[in-house]
Amino acid sequence: MRRTSDETRAALEAADPGLAELYRLYARHAPADVVDPDDAAGVAAALVDAARAHRTLAARRAPGGPLIDLRGPVAEGAITVVDIITDDMPFLVESVLTGLGRIGARVRRVVHPVVELHRRVTGELVEVLPSAAPGTPPPGALAEVWMRLELDPFPADEAEDLVSEVRQVLDEVREVVEDRDRMAATAKGLAAQLAARSPATEVQDAAHLLEWLAAGHFTFLGYRRYELDRTGGGQSQLRGVLASGLGVLRRDDLTSAPFAPAAGPDGAARQPLVLTRASTPNRVFRPVHPSQLGVRIVDTGGRVTGEHRFLGVLTVAALHESVLDIPAVERRVRAAVHRAGFPLESYAGQQMLEIIAEYPREELFWADEQSLHDTATGVLTLTEPRRLRLFLRREPYRRFFSCLVYLPRDRYSTRARLAMQKVLLRELNGWRIDHTVRVGESRLALVHFTVQADPLAPEPDEARLQGQLGAAILTWDDWVLDMAGAGDDEIADYVAGVPEGYKDDVDPVRAVADLRRIRGLEGPEMELSVETGGDAGAGTGELRFRLFLVGAGVTLSAVLPVLQSLGVDVLDERPYAIVRPDGSRCWLYDFGLRLDEAARRALAGRRPQEVERAFCAAFRAAWRGDAEVDRFNALVLRAGLGWREAALLRAYARYASQLGGPFGPEYVAETLVAHPAVTRGLIELFRARFDPALSAEERERAHADALGVVTGLIDEVAGLDADRILRGFLGMVSATVRTNWFRERPFVVFKIDPVGVAEMPLPRPWREVFVYSPRVEGVHLRFGPVARGG
């Protein structure tokens, strides 16, 4: 870097000695982030370019007028350059940077040397004095800031907005600098008038506070005098007095604003001075909302007639001043501690003092004794580790709410803050919210929200608002523990093993039930949530099926065929691995299912609990191998059968297939699914014939009824194949003379009279026994001589 700089200076001195001197000034005052050791040549060239461009731009400048030159990117990825030449003024650089940020410009690099020079009265540049010391300039020299800003590429169609913003910032900075002495003098004069107005404590406090602010604790940015206009029939209005403005309020504004008494009808007497936050951010100095200092004007009768209004920013000294050294504030602080019954020097008194010292400094100037007492004592009593405390105050002019939220330090997070902001905007009818956060060594974090709202909006219910904020900051873990209750401490151990994906997807109420199920899980468990409205057949027909397993997990390819055999479409799968406190791993698979239109119609009127039991039982049977995975399982939803009833029809279909029937089992299953009423009728007929709970008379009557119903239903079936298949089932059920189906064995046995089976090939035996199990091929045995007529 040193060698390159020397070479650059030597080349410049040979070609242009004046530019070489100016380059040395730029290099000497360039900030550290500009001097890049990895690109020494590039930095030197950039500084030379800035010096040359500034010298050319500064050739003529009208007194007091800034020069602004903007060069857009000449190639893709190039930078936008803004050159500014203006008088050296306080607040200049930070104000310009704030203005650029306000319009979305991103500054990469800034160089802003102070250049001493001579100009003619008409503004022509005579000579540059780069070697002159800024603190002791030569006689007649001017101090100017030659500023270069390198920006990210800025849209060409918005260049005018950028230049306009910079020009407005420079104008306001100049107005503030030109008028700041007059504004400070005005404030001191008002302090003297207040001190002479009345010996009342409030008035004397206001006078001392105003004098303290003017003594280096307040940076004045603007001033205007307002008169109270009561001529209208409505609310009194504050109107600016022409030619009374200074600083950023120098320009006359004929608009008016509603007058807010700030403290009731006698507010002027009790609160002659109010320091609060302004409604809009300022262009000068820091990018914050300035403070608004209002001094009430009263007549001899004590009536408010107007207001002296200052805009400004509390200085660093004011922000760090002890609250016991600030006039007016000191008295209210001592009174608040005394009201709590503690000596200021006591342990509790010092704790209260520490809490009040952390109070937003601007609000200390309008907070009364009662609010300071309530805040400090309220924070001291905040011992519950999961509680939150809100202190809500409305600004004297009712333009915004100040919300102090104290919460345990480990409870504060960005998520918690955003959740609280959402609640405050909604409940306070706010249209803008700002925040500051203080997280230190204390066990509590302090978040200060400022919510701008309609001045006419009603007062909120503070207790309700605090409850909503407390609920908003609760984490998923907190909600689960609350839902579980104090009597279930073990849940906390299970929460530790829950993955974040599960927390994002599952609400705490359901999570408590899940974790309790996982706590006692020993084998597969499952549930079906019918999310279709009042009954299972309404709505969209979407369901959630949840499978709980312990130990090894399963793949989607293993589960998918089972679900599809039940006649549902699988929309999605969400697997979660949950580790129990003993280290064992459990799995929760959440499947999104959808029913088709026919299935939704079939489930119309059925209770969700009934559908869940039947579906889960069918899945469990297929999962364990107690039932085959085929189309017959769809009868559980389509025909309202249990899985064993579906298995019964599957067994008859296997029997018909062994007899050499022309239809395959899948085609037979589709036929049964397409005719659910007939399918249910066949099951009712089977039960009427063999249910051991029926007496002989009940059996005869039930058989006759069921046979008549199913026969009539089959007579209405259209299609030769369907008629043949369904009548074949009717014949097989009618030909069955004995069964073990009601014993709930893992296999089904039918004893059949072949004469009643139309598909039975010749010669027909006297009796036949068919045994079916999902784990083996169906077998049948023939007994006795050929039946008569066979």
Side-chain angles (χ1 to χ4, degrees):
M1 177 66 186
R2 175 66 60 186
R3 184 174 57 85
T4 303
S5 298
D6 292 342
E7 292 176 353
T8 301
R9 184 169 59 251
L12 284 175
E13 287 175 349
D16 190 340
L19 183 59
E21 259 194 297
L22 192 57
Y23 163 74
R24 283 196 294 271
L25 174 66
Y26 277 61
R28 187 168 60 249
H29 292 286
D33 60 343
V34 172
V35 182
D36 184 359
D38 296 329
D39 185 20
V43 170
L47 293 178
V48 170
D49 180 71
R52 180 182 291 111
H54 284 160
R55 190 176 64 173
T56 302
L57 181 63
R60 181 183 180 87
R61 184 175 77 89
L67 298 174
I68 304 172
D69 181 55
L70 183 145
R71 286 181 288 163
V74 296
E76 185 177 354
I79 60 174
T80 296
V81 175
V82 180
D83 286 327
I84 301 172
I85 294 179
T86 188
D87 294 326
D88 182 26
M89 299 178 289
F91 324 130
L92 180 62
V93 177
E94 55 264 55
S95 299
V96 170
L97 294 177
T98 299
L100 292 175
R102 188 162 37 245
I103 61 174
R106 297 184 59 183
V107 179
R108 292 185 181 181
R109 180 181 296 174
V110 56
V111 179
H112 50 90
V114 177
V115 180
E116 300 291 339
L117 49 81
H118 285 121
R119 290 186 183 275
R120 293 190 177 90
V121 177
T122 54
E124 289 86 356
L125 179 62
V126 176
E127 64 174 333
V128 179
L129 307 171
S131 300
T136 56
L142 301 176
E144 296 183 350
V145 173
W146 290 11
M147 187 184 308
R148 164 156 291 194
L149 300 123
E150 297 179 2
L151 317 178
D152 282 351
F154 198 78
D157 56 348
E158 300 179 18
E160 291 185 6
D161 295 335
L162 188 150
V163 173
S164 175
E165 175 66 24
V166 171
R167 191 176 300 280
Q168 190 168 358
V169 167
L170 297 177
D171 289 345
E172 292 193 7
V173 169
R174 180 175 298 280
E175 291 169 349
V176 169
V177 172
E178 291 176 348
D179 293 343
R180 60 179 178 171
D181 291 340
R182 292 180 60 192
M183 290 186 284
T186 301
K188 292 176 181 179
L190 291 175
Q193 293 177 21
L194 281 174
R197 179 195 299 176
S198 168
T201 302
E202 291 81 2
V203 177
Q204 291 300 313
D205 278 351
H208 294 152
L209 178 58
L210 185 55
E211 185 178 1
W212 178 84
L213 289 169
H217 295 96
F218 194 75
T219 301
F220 291 94
L221 301 178
Y223 163 79
R224 177 173 290 279
R225 179 179 176 180
Y226 291 86
E227 292 181 346
L228 188 61
D229 183 3
R230 293 189 174 93
T231 58
Q235 184 180 11
S236 300
Q237 301 284 318
L238 280 175
R239 302 186 186 277
V241 176
L242 296 179
S244 65
L246 298 172
V248 295
L249 298 179
R250 180 188 292 183
R251 299 176 181 83
D252 288 326
D253 186 357
L254 298 180
T255 61
S256 58
F259 172 69
D266 57 342
R270 293 190 295 108
Q271 199 172 10
L273 182 148
V274 176
L275 179 65
T276 183
R277 168 175 156 156
S279 300
T280 57
N282 59 293
R283 282 189 167 85
V284 180
F285 206 22
R286 297 192 295 265
V288 297
H289 286 258
S291 298
Q292 177 177 304
L293 176 62
V295 182
R296 296 296 169 83
I297 303 173
V298 297
D299 59 17
T300 56
R303 296 181 63 197
V304 176
T305 61
E307 180 178 284
H308 298 280
R309 181 172 297 179
F310 297 88
L311 290 182
V313 179
L314 292 173
T315 64
V316 174
L319 294 175
H320 295 88
E321 187 90 344
S322 169
V323 294
L324 298 180
D325 292 333
I326 303 176
V329 173
E330 175 267 342
R331 183 180 57 80
R332 294 198 295 269
V333 170
R334 292 182 182 275
V337 176
H338 178 74
R339 176 176 294 207
F342 306 127
L344 184 63
E345 297 77 14
S346 68
Y347 173 75
Q350 289 297 302
Q351 281 191 307
M352 288 187 65
L353 184 61
E354 182 179 355
I355 293 170
I356 294 174
E358 293 180 350
Y359 211 87
R361 185 51 55 103
E362 189 177 75
E363 295 186 16
L364 275 175
F365 295 98
W366 56 267
D368 56 20
E369 171 190 326
Q370 184 66 49
S371 63
L372 294 176
H373 167 271
D374 293 347
T375 301
T377 56
V379 174
L380 285 178
T381 58
L382 185 58
T383 58
E384 174 63 35
R386 294 172 59 197
R387 285 196 60 193
L388 167 150
R389 190 66 188 269
L390 166 69
F391 299 95
L392 182 68
R393 299 288 182 269
R394 197 157 197 174
E395 183 259 350
Y397 296 100
R398 300 180 59 85
R399 298 166 303 167
F400 60 82
F401 290 93
S402 173
C403 311
L404 295 179
V405 180
Y406 290 85
L407 69 161
R409 183 175 56 188
D410 59 351
R411 295 278 167 181
Y412 176 76
S413 65
T414 301
R415 186 205 66 80
R417 176 179 61 78
L418 293 175
M420 290 190 288
Q421 287 184 185
K422 185 176 180 180
V423 171
L424 291 172
L425 283 172
R426 181 185 69 243
E427 295 299 316
L428 299 179
N429 297 312
W431 54 271
R432 177 188 171 92
I433 188 167
D434 300 303
H435 76 279
T436 57
V437 182
R438 177 171 293 179
V439 182
E441 297 180 358
S442 170
R443 61 186 176 84
L444 297 177
L446 169 60
V447 189
H448 178 215
F449 295 102
T450 303
V451 184
Q452 298 193 28
D454 183 357
L456 301 180
E459 297 299 322
D461 184 338
E462 187 170 344
R464 176 176 177 272
L465 182 57
Q466 176 172 292
Q468 291 183 324
L469 291 175
I473 69 166
L474 290 181
T475 64
W476 187 91
D477 295 9
D478 297 330
W479 279 110
V480 169
L481 297 178
D482 283 350
M483 295 297 103
D488 194 351
D489 296 335
E490 290 185 1
I491 286 293
D493 298 330
Y494 284 82
V495 168
V498 174
E500 292 300 320
Y502 178 89
K503 296 178 182 181
D504 293 338
D505 296 340
V506 181
D507 67 83
V509 176
R510 169 165 281 187
V512 172
D514 288 348
L515 294 178
R516 286 173 175 167
R517 172 173 284 183
I518 288 172
R519 180 168 55 188
L521 189 64
E522 297 180 357
E525 294 187 18
M526 56 209 70
E527 67 180 35
L528 180 75
S529 302
V530 183
E531 302 173 354
T532 53
D535 56 43
T540 62
E542 293 191 0
L543 309 91
R544 303 298 307 185
F545 174 68
R546 310 171 85 233
L547 173 63
F548 296 80
L549 297 174
V550 62
V554 297
T555 62
L556 181 60
S557 60
V559 181
L560 194 60
V562 180
L563 293 174
Q564 290 177 331
S565 73
L566 288 162
V568 296
D569 294 328
V570 179
L571 303 178
D572 64 88
E573 178 210 21
R574 302 174 190 172
Y576 310 104
I578 300 175
V579 181
R580 293 194 287 199
D582 61 3
S584 60
R585 186 180 296 270
C586 298
W587 292 90
L588 168 56
Y589 297 92
D590 190 336
F591 297 93
L593 310 179
R594 181 171 58 199
L595 302 173
D596 59 21
E597 184 62 33
R600 291 202 294 271
R601 289 197 303 267
L603 294 179
R606 293 182 64 185
R607 297 174 59 216
Q609 296 84 350
E610 176 190 348
V611 175
E612 178 184 0
R613 285 194 298 270
F615 186 93
C616 292
F619 182 92
R620 185 180 294 107
W623 185 257
R624 293 186 311 215
D626 294 337
E628 295 186 57
V629 179
D630 59 16
R631 184 61 172 162
F632 282 93
N633 291 331
L635 293 172
V636 173
L637 295 180
R638 288 291 189 89
L641 306 184
W643 74 268
R644 295 189 71 250
E645 293 170 331
L648 174 66
L649 296 175
R650 182 187 293 112
Y652 275 120
R654 293 289 187 270
Y655 176 63
S657 179
Q658 288 199 9
L659 293 179
F663 305 109
E666 289 296 318
Y667 186 73
V668 171
E670 288 290 353
T671 301
L672 293 174
V673 168
H675 298 84
V678 177
T679 302
R680 287 191 296 270
L682 292 171
I683 294 298
E684 290 299 321
L685 178 62
F686 180 85
R687 287 185 174 277
R689 287 176 59 82
F690 303 109
D691 190 346
L694 298 177
S695 64
E697 292 181 359
E698 290 173 336
R699 188 185 313 283
E700 183 178 355
R701 184 167 57 253
H703 177 267
D705 292 342
L707 182 61
V709 170
V710 72
T711 301
L713 290 173
I714 293 175
D715 289 342
E716 296 176 0
V717 171
L720 295 179
D721 286 353
D723 181 83
R724 184 175 177 180
I725 290 171
L726 297 175
R727 289 191 187 278
F729 271 92
L730 178 61
M732 288 185 289
V733 172
S734 299
T736 303
V737 296
R738 185 173 298 177
T739 181
N740 74 332
W741 187 82
F742 287 93
R743 300 290 296 273
E744 297 191 8
R745 299 290 178 81
F747 54 89
V748 180
V749 180
F750 303 121
K751 184 176 181 180
I752 297 175
D753 180 1
V755 175
V757 181
E759 301 291 342
M760 176 70 70
L762 298 177
R764 294 173 178 171
W766 173 69
R767 290 290 185 269
E768 189 165 61
V769 175
F770 180 76
V771 181
Y772 167 77
S773 171
R775 294 181 173 85
V776 299
E777 291 291 334
V779 297
H780 64 269
L781 306 173
R782 295 184 173 185
F783 299 93
V786 177
R788 294 178 183 178

